[in-house]
Amino acid sequence: LEEDVAALDEVVVVGFGTQKKASVVGSITNIEPAKLAAAPSRSLSNNLAGMVPGVIAVQRSGDPWFNNSDFWIRGISSFTGNTNPLVLVDGVERSLHDIDPEEIASFSVLKDAAASAVYGVRGANGVVMIETKRGKIGKPQVNVRFEHSFTQPIKIPDYIGSVKYLELINEMYAEQGRNPFVSEATLLNYKNQTDPELYPDVNWWDVISKDHADNTKANVSVNGGTDILRYALVAGYYNENGIIERDKNQEWDSSLKVSRYTVRSNVDVNVTPTTLFRANV
């Protein structure tokens, strides 16, 4: 096999620093930050599924506030205690869920013991290392990004109606040799809708839900600096409206929705030729 010299010279973020890919002995996967921004989701953990070999992500809820994914690196390492991977953002342990993809400069997943050994027992479930964007030498650059997305359930059970449902129950009772669940007179009342409140036929999914949900994402980033001072600022806004419809009969808003505001800023100052001062907000 011929060596891919370009790939071997690639710089890989590892525990406490960087190395050339040729000298990395652990299992480490790097993901382009742009790929993590492809899915219209509030939580960054939802975008890991299918992106990283060896990472399993399970989303258990569609509630915009609680739709984070449980994720594991190379399976569940322990059936007791903490099974969550260690997540480090600029070297500080943090939650992965509310990190804005626009803030990320590099995203690395340390998957085996050789790669995560420096973290000891805290790295037993794998380590996710995120480095955020920092200022670069050059003229100020301003980037603006705006997205509006729609989401929709891909499969919903068909509504058969109260009449068909009661007929099926009666058929089931007849096969079991039991008396009908409802009488023919009651069934006629459902068919003719003589009293909609006493004999209802309501498709509640249509009543309480919308055809689709939507979300809006906007980001502004400013980056620049000189040999002495470099700065970076990323501000983001995210809004998601769930698929549950608001009850117009109530004064309060019963729909599901979430709004999130994020700001990340950092400044690098070369105080002396050998001293670098960094401030992160």
Side-chain angles (χ1 to χ4, degrees):
L1 296 176
E2 296 182 2
E3 292 182 351
D4 188 345
V5 179
L8 294 177
D9 288 337
E10 179 185 342
V11 175
V12 178
V13 177
V14 298
F16 296 118
T18 60
Q19 291 181 357
K20 283 193 175 182
K21 195 169 186 177
S23 61
V24 174
V25 295
S27 179
I28 301 175
T29 298
N30 290 325
I31 311 172
E32 295 180 19
K35 292 182 178 179
L36 294 172
S41 175
R42 174 192 64 84
S43 179
L44 185 62
S45 59
N46 296 335
N47 299 350
L48 294 179
M51 290 290 182
V52 187
V55 173
I56 302 170
V58 180
Q59 185 178 351
R60 304 183 187 275
S61 172
D63 185 341
W65 267 111
F66 304 102
N67 63 350
N68 303 321
S69 288
D70 295 329
F71 65 98
W72 303 274
I73 299 174
R74 289 189 171 178
I76 300 175
S77 302
S78 173
F79 291 101
T80 60
N82 183 25
T83 61
N84 298 322
L86 175 65
V87 178
L88 298 175
V89 181
D90 291 335
V92 179
E93 184 175 357
R94 280 198 55 193
S95 170
L96 176 73
H97 305 305
D98 282 312
I99 300 294
D100 193 326
E102 292 297 320
E103 302 173 3
I104 300 174
S106 68
F107 189 101
S108 302
V109 181
L110 284 57
K111 296 188 284 189
D112 66 352
S116 60
V118 293
Y119 299 105
V121 69
R122 287 294 287 112
N125 300 307
V127 182
V128 175
M129 297 188 62
I130 298 174
E131 298 288 331
T132 59
K133 295 177 180 177
R134 306 198 71 87
K136 297 180 180 179
I137 298 175
K139 295 181 179 179
Q141 293 185 346
V142 179
N143 295 313
V144 179
R145 181 188 180 102
F146 178 84
E147 297 178 9
H148 190 76
S149 307
F150 295 94
T151 54
Q152 185 177 20
I154 58 174
K155 192 171 184 179
I156 299 174
D158 293 331
Y159 177 67
I160 63 171
S162 58
V163 176
K164 184 64 176 177
Y165 174 79
L166 292 173
E167 289 176 345
L168 290 172
I169 296 295
N170 279 350
E171 289 180 15
M172 184 178 69
Y173 272 42
E175 291 177 358
Q176 298 173 355
R178 302 165 60 184
N179 293 327
F181 179 70
V182 294
S183 65
E184 285 297 325
T186 302
L187 205 55
L188 282 173
N189 287 329
Y190 274 99
K191 287 181 179 179
N192 299 326
Q193 285 292 284
T194 55
D195 187 341
E197 292 189 2
L198 188 59
Y199 307 102
D201 186 9
V202 180
N203 184 349
W204 283 107
W205 177 254
D206 283 345
V207 172
I208 69 170
S209 70
K210 299 179 285 188
D211 293 335
H212 58 263
D214 66 287
N215 59 60
T216 302
K217 187 191 300 183
N219 298 94
V220 177
S221 64
V222 182
N223 194 300
T226 64
D227 293 336
I228 298 177
L229 185 146
R230 295 164 299 282
Y231 56 88
L233 169 68
V234 181
Y237 169 73
Y238 180 88
N239 172 264
E240 181 173 353
N241 295 308
I243 203 167
I244 302 299
E245 185 70 84
R246 177 178 180 176
D247 186 355
K248 302 282 194 310
N249 297 321
Q250 303 291 343
E251 293 183 0
W252 51 280
D253 191 349
S254 58
S255 61
L256 295 175
K257 56 186 175 181
V258 60
S259 293
R260 182 189 69 187
Y261 304 86
T262 55
V263 177
R264 182 179 294 276
S265 177
N266 58 66
V267 176
D268 297 344
V269 181
N270 289 2
V271 181
T272 70
T274 58
T275 305
L276 174 64
F277 173 78
R278 282 186 165 184
N280 301 299
V281 178

